[in-house]
Amino acid sequence: HDAQCIQLFGFKTAFGGGRSTGFGLIYDNLDKMKKFEPKYRLKRAGVGGEKKGAGRRAKKDTKNRRKKVRGKEKTKTSGGKK
């Protein structure tokens, strides 16, 4: 089997460490995996498209930078929204 056809998730560490429990799914091929897996897990595995847009922290930073300026400067700080 291809290593990309294996999905591991839901890991929980035991108190004190040394052991973890989780859940895994093994698919026959990538097509089956793309059919049944949720989109967020496909993205996490690097199979279903790239993440688009700025991250959560970057959005907050631009918003707060915009609050500090007035007028035309706002468009400069926001990075030219489209």
Side-chain angles (χ1 to χ4, degrees), residues 14-32:
F15 180 73
R19 189 189 319 188
S20 297
T21 58
F23 199 78
L25 295 168
I26 301 171
Y27 293 95
D28 292 331
N29 53 37
L30 273 175
D31 295 332
K32 295 270 172 118

Side-chain angles (χ1 to χ4, degrees), residues 54-71:
R56 185 166 182 253
R57 182 84 250 159
K59 281 184 207 164
K60 287 182 173 191
D61 288 343
T62 52
K63 172 185 68 92
N64 290 329
R65 240 182 283 127
R66 232 180 299 140
K67 287 198 297 191
K68 291 176 185 162
V69 294
R70 295 183 61 181

